[in-house]
Amino acid sequence: MMRIEIVKRPQHSALFSALSPFIALFLTLIAGAILFSILGKNPISALYSYFVEPLTEVWSIHELLVKAAPLILIAVGLSVCFLSNNWNIGAEGQFIAGGIAGSILPVVFPDFQGWYVLPIMLLLGMAGGMAYATIPAFLKVRFNTNEILTSLMLVYVAQLFLDWLVRGPWRNPQGYNFPETVQFSDSAILPAIWPDSGRAHWGFALAIIAAVVVWFMLSRTLNGFEIKVLGRSSRAGRFAGFSAGRLTFFAFLVSGALAGLAGIAEVSGAVGQLRTSISPGYGFTAIIVAFLGRLNPLGIIAAGLVLALSYLGGEAAQISLGISEKSARIFQGIILFFVLASDSLIYYRIRIVSRLSDTALKGA
Amino acid sequence: MTGTITKDGSEIPLLEAEKLTKIFGTLKACDGIDLKIGTGEIHALLGENGAGKSTLVKMLFGALQPTSGDIAWKGERFTVTSPAMGRSLGIGMVFQHFSLFDALTAAENIALSLDEKSPLDTIATRAREIGQTYGLPVDPDALVGDLSVGERQRIEIIRCLLQNPDLIILDEPTSVLTPQEADLLFVTLERLRSEGKSILYISHRLEEVRRLCDRATVLRHGKVVGQCDPRTQTAASLARMMVGNDIHVIERLPAEWTDRIPLIEVNGLSQRPRGPFSVALHDIYLSITGGEILGIAGVAGNGQGELFEAISGEVLQERPQVVRIRGTDAGRIGISARRKLGAAFVPEERLGHGAVPDMSLTNNLLLSRHSTDRKMFLTGGVLKLVSESSLASAAKRIVVQMDVRKSAENPDASALSGGNLQKFLIGRELDRNPSVIVVNQPTWGVDAGAAALIRQALVDLARSGSAVIVISQDLDELFEISDRIAAMVHGRLSESVPIEAMTMERVGLMMGGADATAGAA
């Protein structure tokens, strides 16, 4: 008889805690190489075109920043949620809600123009994400509902609502029946940072600012302290006089606002109109970004760039290797798997227990 | 067993440990310990917290493997590799913290721990038989959640006896019992001894060790520092052996009350149970003036935790006047606002309630002080920036004041020993000079030296004019520091009795629910 036990380690290694994201990335590359060999591709050249080639051209680096911006914005908000033990899985829905709310001005009032249009759009986008995130927060605080389920289910509601809007009331009358809204006017477009060399828009700058602000809040202020205390021990948090319900609202509002901002920045900066689908799963991939960045907003900047690369690599692999771009999803899944596995093995060890000792005794 | 047994069986000890050593990293938890337990003796294992008692016991029982040294069982050498092997050799263990499932019956709990499979009816019958034989009455069909702590302990002992052990290890068995319940336990243990069973009795209550045990082994810093016949010793001489020097005697001047204005009052506190295993509170009144200590005795699980949370404001009351702090109705305001009225609180559970385990001492200082000492610890106006430097200097002050021993400059709370963390958590509140302090189990699991320091600090605070409530299961402690003692039973609080009129017997009756005045007769 044999069984496998998972035993908590008395002490965990600080060195390996710091190395864990790198170990996870390394293991992901190995797993990727194995995957490519099984598909009959040369693993070295496949990994090269997946992870290195996109970094060799300037326009491609711009694309990297375009993809990284929403990932970082969303993941920074999620770090506040996850650190405080609020499992917001619905950032994808809050992203869409932000994109819709921010598009009200350019779609419904296209004649309304001026420098103030863009700031209002961004604020509306944040408000839309916040409003959508309030629903699971309220259900959790008031009815003790599991926020994982409610926030996830609301994603599909948002996706279908967007689909209906774009096919129905908001469809461009001059759009040859394509399910798209009108193209945004220039004053409703989030401009590129370096328009001469590529598409990267100011959403990336907003992401960096958000990361630094949230990092400061988490590491230096009483508010950040409250988040960490309640995330680790709700009872000690109550003893400290902190309110878990208030914090749940706070965390969902912050992450909803940032996801909403990411949504409208993507729509206004990268797409230029609303379509039936405005996200290749940014809201879900951002969960991986948050954990790969160890829930630290500065780490999340780096992790966001890594995961953005996986999107670009997927596109590149489709062109040069003939592999479906969905392979990016596989890589993202593998990264999350190895990140969580490395973290678990830092705190726990696996022990194989045999019942040998008992039988030895009976034999004696 | 096939071990060699001489004609005179008593010459071979039942269990003999030789040069038993256990090293954790750089710490020698047990250092060359020799221990002999004879057949039919009650052997006491004495020592402060951290002396190596539980490490030693875990090695005997098979839960830990010794780094070096030998264990001989009935004269034969054995390596006990697992608790299951310890059980089949004939070593039974009754733990201090019970491992019973509240939602199962007594018989079901017993069935879970047996190695062989037997039908529940058989187990219930055997449990009842053993209970009758040894004076451990228990209803096998009762839900454990409904049983008192004393009854739960009986289930643990019956569970152990069902394995028919030759050696029974009891870890601090009386720490959860009333004096009367403890007396019943002693009868059971004496009966087991008369049948030739051996008992290893771990305790820090010296009086009961002197009364019950035939031999004692005293540990200090992982080494055996003495072996004696406790019946020929005094409590003071045993304590000296344990601690290595004389224990600090609490100085307690008679209380002087200049004014009789109550600083904290509870007026008719009643509360429904807040969960399946929480206790309802019924009509509790108390009132304490500055300068005095009210001791609240009681067996664990009689509503002490619920009373603490109601006074601290972690659980709010419907009517504001139910809790009054320094003349202000406080029943509807939270713990931070109550702290601002001058109250301070130290809960029973240190890790996970009074402190966040994986946060540093300075962060844990901020935990209970961020609202009262906003000016000191927070800067930057509305940004509320945490001032690490002033936290560090305040933590340093507390560490010096309370003699907190720590391994690093600012370690995590979980890295401190129980006693040192408790000194820090009490010091964290005393540092504010509160006018009211409520402490639940101030010295639970704390070594004698630290306990004396904590008690003296509480007495000094009271004598400087503050009102102190101490909730404790340790009656010796309450007699040492209280001016008045009341007892909690089934969520009710008895009238308080001045210390001069209080006796052990009377408080025991009060803890059992008997009328306090009847006990005085």
Side-chain angles (χ1 to χ4, degrees):
Chain A
M1 279 262 291
M2 224 170 66
R3 67 176 187 277
I4 297 171
E5 284 183 349
I6 295 173
V7 189
K8 193 159 188 185
R9 292 180 195 269
Q11 275 133 8
H12 66 273
S13 152
L15 174 69
F16 277 95
S17 299
L19 284 181
S20 142
F22 300 99
I23 296 172
L25 286 176
F26 178 70
L27 292 172
T28 306
L29 290 183
I30 292 183
I34 295 172
L35 200 75
F36 286 129
S37 330
I38 294 173
L39 288 170
K41 314 280 173 192
N42 177 349
I44 301 294
S45 66
L47 283 179
Y48 178 83
S49 57
Y50 215 102
F51 290 110
V52 183
E53 217 172 358
L55 299 176
T56 54
E57 304 218 34
V58 175
W59 69 266
S60 183
I61 290 181
H62 273 270
E63 289 305 308
L64 186 75
L65 300 188
V66 169
K67 298 241 172 349
L71 290 176
I72 294 170
L73 269 174
I74 300 170
V76 164
L78 290 181
S79 71
V80 174
C81 277
F82 295 164
L83 281 173
S84 63
N85 234 341
N86 288 299
W87 300 102
N88 179 8
I89 307 298
E92 179 85 358
Q94 293 140 27
F95 177 93
I96 294 171
I100 294 173
S103 303
I104 292 174
L105 269 194
V107 173
V108 183
F109 308 101
D111 300 332
F112 190 71
Q113 293 194 6
W115 63 267
Y116 40 80
V117 169
L118 202 55
I120 295 175
M121 282 169 64
L122 296 181
L123 287 176
L124 278 175
M126 291 171 82
M130 277 165 106
Y132 210 58
T134 312
I135 303 170
F138 172 78
L139 292 174
K140 177 178 182 179
V141 173
R142 181 72 181 76
F143 300 108
N144 206 15
T145 321
N146 184 326
E147 74 275 21
I148 298 178
L149 294 177
T150 53
S151 63
L152 179 63
M153 290 192 290
L154 283 166
V155 170
Y156 307 114
V157 176
Q159 283 173 343
L160 293 171
F161 181 69
L162 171 68
D163 193 86
W164 171 78
L165 259 188
V166 175
R167 288 177 199 279
W170 281 15
R171 188 170 52 190
N172 181 4
Q174 280 94 45
Y176 307 103
N177 254 345
F178 278 109
E180 291 170 355
T181 63
V182 290
Q183 287 283 342
F184 290 2
S185 63
D186 283 351
S187 61
I189 294 283
L190 195 59
I193 307 178
W194 305 281
D196 299 335
S197 59
R199 276 191 339 127
H201 56 77
W202 282 95
F204 186 75
L206 291 175
I208 302 295
I209 294 169
V212 172
V213 168
V214 171
W215 170 80
F216 184 81
M217 191 241 338
L218 285 174
S219 60
R220 294 282 188 272
T221 68
L222 185 69
N223 208 334
F225 178 71
E226 180 176 352
I227 289 166
K228 284 180 276 183
V229 168
L230 278 168
R232 288 170 207 218
S233 164
S234 59
R235 195 138 182 245
R238 193 150 49 101
F239 179 72
F242 298 144
S243 153
R246 215 179 56 89
L247 183 66
T248 295
F249 272 107
F250 176 80
F252 269 92
L253 288 180
V254 168
S255 74
L258 290 177
L261 180 62
I264 186 57
E266 174 77 7
V267 169
S268 154
V271 188
Q273 65 182 163
L274 270 186
R275 295 178 185 157
T276 52
S277 167
I278 56 171
S279 160
Y282 286 138
F284 295 114
T285 308
I287 298 170
I288 304 170
V289 173
F291 280 106
L292 186 64
R294 322 231 74 197
L295 302 182
N296 177 333
L298 300 185
I300 283 171
I301 296 178
L305 291 168
V306 170
L307 268 292
L309 184 58
S310 76
Y311 277 115
L312 286 193
E315 288 169 9
Q318 188 172 26
I319 297 164
S320 59
L321 300 171
I323 302 173
S324 161
E325 57 154 347
K326 293 277 187 292
S327 61
R329 294 281 182 91
I330 295 176
F331 267 103
Q332 293 167 359
I334 294 174
I335 291 181
L336 182 64
F337 174 81
F338 281 121
V339 167
L340 296 181
S342 314
D343 281 0
S344 304
L345 288 176
I346 285 168
Y347 289 98
Y348 299 89
R349 66 194 171 89
I350 291 174
R351 197 172 69 170
I352 296 172
V353 187
S354 67
R355 306 290 299 263
L356 216 64
S357 47
D358 293 9
T359 35
L361 175 75
K362 273 166 198 147
Chain B
M1 291 301 146
T2 51
T4 36
I5 295 174
T6 53
K7 287 169 200 160
D8 184 5
S10 63
E11 288 206 348
I12 293 181
L14 179 71
L15 182 135
E16 184 168 14
E18 218 177 315
K19 299 255 169 294
L20 220 48
T21 301
K22 179 72 190 177
I23 300 173
F24 296 108
T26 57
L27 176 79
K28 270 191 179 175
C30 285
D31 187 359
I33 288 181
D34 295 327
L35 176 72
K36 265 186 211 168
I37 301 173
T39 305
E41 77 168 4
I42 302 185
H43 192 113
L45 190 58
L46 289 171
E48 290 202 274
N49 278 350
K53 289 177 309 214
S54 36
T55 308
L56 173 61
V57 166
K58 279 182 186 159
M59 287 192 287
L60 300 180
F61 185 60
L64 276 179
Q65 303 308 312
T67 312
S68 65
D70 292 307
I71 300 171
W73 176 252
K74 296 178 178 167
E76 200 181 348
R77 260 183 206 182
F78 262 105
T79 314
V80 192
T81 51
S82 71
M85 181 173 172
R87 274 199 294 275
S88 47
L89 280 174
I91 304 175
M93 171 102 201
V94 178
F95 290 97
Q96 183 181 2
H97 300 287
F98 306 144
S99 46
L100 299 172
F101 292 100
D102 282 347
L104 298 182
T105 67
E108 285 166 340
N109 265 293
I110 292 170
L112 277 178
S113 70
L114 293 182
D115 289 335
E116 82 261 34
K117 304 259 175 294
S118 324
L120 263 185
D121 290 352
T122 325
I123 291 171
T125 319
R126 280 170 66 199
R128 213 173 259 126
E129 279 167 17
I130 288 185
Q132 270 159 10
T133 319
Y134 294 102
L136 300 163
V138 150
D139 174 9
D141 301 322
L143 274 186
V144 166
D146 298 335
L147 298 179
S148 74
V149 184
E151 287 171 308
R152 291 179 201 208
Q153 186 180 54
R154 283 179 214 152
I155 300 174
E156 289 271 0
I157 297 175
I158 289 173
R159 172 152 102 171
C160 176
L161 290 176
L162 270 174
Q163 320 256 6
N164 204 19
D166 296 309
L167 171 66
I168 301 159
I169 303 173
L170 292 161
D171 190 1
E172 304 265 354
T174 55
S175 60
V176 292
L177 302 181
T178 65
Q180 284 81 359
E181 283 177 314
D183 284 341
L184 287 177
L185 175 70
F186 296 154
V187 173
T188 304
L189 296 184
E190 273 157 9
R191 161 128 209 182
L192 286 167
R193 165 167 63 188
S194 70
E195 291 182 359
K197 306 234 186 245
S198 304
I199 292 162
L200 183 61
Y201 190 89
I202 304 169
S203 181
H204 65 262
R205 296 200 171 169
L206 304 170
E207 285 300 341
E208 63 188 41
V209 167
R210 286 184 55 223
R211 178 179 149 192
L212 186 69
C213 300
D214 309 297
R215 272 205 296 163
T217 298
V218 185
L219 298 184
R220 189 165 74 231
H221 300 315
K223 287 189 175 136
V224 175
V225 291
Q227 267 168 335
C228 60
D229 180 346
R231 289 165 296 199
T232 64
Q233 302 281 327
T234 64
S237 66
L238 287 172
R240 231 183 341 263
M241 258 197 254
M242 264 167 63
V243 183
N245 50 35
D246 285 308
I247 292 184
H248 173 78
V249 179
I250 304 288
E251 293 167 33
R252 199 160 66 91
L253 300 168
E256 292 170 26
W257 295 301
T258 45
D259 48 2
R260 304 278 324 192
I261 301 166
L263 291 182
I264 177 135
E265 293 164 85
V266 174
N267 301 309
L269 165 63
S270 295
Q271 183 178 292
R272 276 193 292 268
R274 302 183 68 247
F277 302 113
S278 144
V279 177
L281 299 177
H282 304 283
D283 211 24
I284 290 175
Y285 285 85
L286 59 83
S287 165
I288 304 148
T289 58
E292 64 171 344
I293 297 183
L294 172 71
I296 297 181
V299 174
N302 273 293
Q304 293 96 324
E306 287 80 0
L307 175 64
F308 177 88
E309 290 191 329
I311 299 181
S312 74
E314 286 165 272
V315 175
L316 297 184
Q317 296 308 308
E318 278 165 25
R319 291 175 299 133
Q321 66 273 25
V322 167
V323 177
R324 287 171 63 85
I325 296 171
R326 291 171 72 200
T328 305
D329 289 343
R332 297 287 312 151
I333 59 176
I335 187 167
S336 289
R338 294 188 196 192
R339 286 191 177 117
K340 283 187 187 159
L341 289 174
F345 311 97
V346 182
E348 173 182 8
E349 213 175 311
R350 297 189 267 270
L351 294 174
H353 190 176
V356 183
D358 52 352
M359 276 194 170
S360 66
L361 287 190
T362 51
N363 275 334
N364 273 303
L365 172 59
L366 186 64
L367 190 74
S368 77
R369 300 273 300 269
H370 62 86
S371 60
T372 52
D373 300 68
R374 178 152 282 175
K375 287 209 181 85
M376 202 196 311
F377 297 138
L378 298 175
T379 58
V382 287
L383 283 180
K384 293 187 191 163
L385 304 182
V386 176
S387 163
E388 294 291 343
S389 60
S390 48
L391 277 175
S393 62
K396 204 171 204 171
R397 187 169 67 225
I398 293 166
V399 163
V400 172
Q401 190 84 36
M402 297 300 287
D403 185 28
V404 178
R405 316 269 171 88
K406 56 192 173 65
S407 52
E409 178 60 32
N410 191 16
D412 283 355
S414 57
L416 259 60
S417 75
N420 280 308
L421 181 59
Q422 183 72 350
K423 283 193 279 187
F424 184 81
L425 296 185
I426 298 226
R428 172 177 79 181
E429 307 306 328
L430 295 183
D431 184 56
R432 263 177 60 207
N433 231 337
S435 44
V436 174
I437 189 167
V438 185
V439 189
N440 194 358
Q441 305 293 356
T443 61
W444 175 262
V446 171
D447 64 65
L453 192 141
I454 288 169
R455 288 172 195 155
Q456 185 67 59
L458 290 173
V459 169
D460 292 346
L461 180 74
R463 293 302 175 260
S464 73
S466 302
V468 178
I469 299 179
V470 174
I471 303 171
S472 179
Q473 289 167 47
D474 184 341
L475 292 178
D476 297 335
E477 168 171 275
L478 291 180
F479 274 89
E480 200 173 13
I481 63 176
S482 308
D483 299 301
R484 289 188 285 143
I485 294 181
M488 269 203 102
V489 55
H490 302 316
R492 293 176 197 280
L493 186 70
S494 74
E495 285 281 322
S496 62
V497 176
I499 192 73
E500 301 79 29
M502 193 50 127
T503 61
M504 264 301 178
E505 193 195 354
R506 187 170 173 188
V507 75
L509 287 170
M510 283 161 64
M511 285 159 68
D515 182 19
T517 45

